[in-house]
Amino acid sequence: SATAPSLPPMPTVNASLADVGVTPSMLADCADLDEEWAAIKRAYFKKVLKTHPDKGGDPAVFRKTQSAFESLRSLYDGASPGFYFASCGDQTAGAAAASVGGPAMDTPSWEFYAEAAAEAVPLYRVERAKSGRSLCKAQGSARHCGAEECIAKDELRVGWLDSESGSHRGGGP
């Protein structure tokens, strides 16, 4: 069986700042967190204009920029008085959030979810009926039941993948 994708290491605050286009000198003259955040947003908006795929940019760089900005936004939203991005240095975003009393950030990257979505999922599943309430929906020559007949408890049933919900729906014996 295939193994689930592993979580990549969390980026540091400095790496996230660099990913959105912020240099340490851009934050040096900021008097408070709000000024730092304004400088971060300015740099971020400039960078996404250049890297957006609709503007001819690289989709991977754009996603990395988006992910870094979301990490920084979570830090900003949960920041306590006296918190500065410039003082976080090489702490991971999760460690910085925990140090200021914010929520730990364990959010996997976009690549983690893309890899998980690429895993093969069977289009059907055979299982025992858990109750006697599953309606037989078999069609054509596969139909061995009446129109409104239920599948007996512990009888085998086949469920098919509903592409909208991602879950398996009931079928017939």
Side-chain angles (χ1 to χ4, degrees):
S1 72
T3 59
S6 61
L7 289 173
M10 292 296 292
T12 64
V13 174
N14 279 346
S16 294
L17 289 169
D19 287 342
V20 297
V22 175
T23 61
S25 63
M26 295 169 75
L27 301 179
D29 295 330
C30 296
D32 61 14
L33 179 62
D34 291 329
E35 283 185 26
E36 281 188 336
W37 184 241
I40 291 168
K41 286 194 318 186
R42 274 192 307 275
Y44 163 75
F45 288 125
K46 286 179 184 178
K47 183 154 185 186
V48 294
L49 280 174
K50 293 177 188 173
T51 62
H52 196 285
D54 291 347
K55 303 284 186 182
D58 182 3
V61 173
F62 179 74
R63 285 192 304 266
K64 188 173 183 179
T65 303
Q66 289 285 93
S67 178
F69 183 73
E70 289 306 318
S71 294
L72 295 170
R73 181 197 311 258
S74 294
L75 275 175
Y76 175 75
D77 290 342
S80 61
F83 173 80
Y84 290 96
F85 285 103
S87 65
C88 289
D90 289 327
Q91 285 182 318
T92 64
S99 72
V100 297
M105 297 186 315
D106 300 358
T107 306
S109 68
W110 185 92
E111 288 79 12
F112 171 79
Y113 290 110
E115 188 177 328
E119 289 182 13
V121 177
L123 299 179
Y124 64 90
R125 177 174 65 190
V126 178
E127 63 185 8
R128 294 201 178 274
K130 295 179 180 120
S131 69
R133 298 178 301 197
S134 299
L135 286 178
C136 177
K137 296 182 182 177
Q139 298 177 353
S141 63
R143 188 170 196 89
H144 299 289
C145 52
E148 292 296 317
E149 191 175 328
C150 290
I151 302 169
K153 183 177 179 179
D154 292 328
E155 290 292 319
L156 290 181
R157 61 176 246 157
V158 178
W160 63 90
L161 182 66
D162 178 357
S163 60
E164 282 189 37
S165 69
S167 64
H168 285 85
R169 301 285 178 183

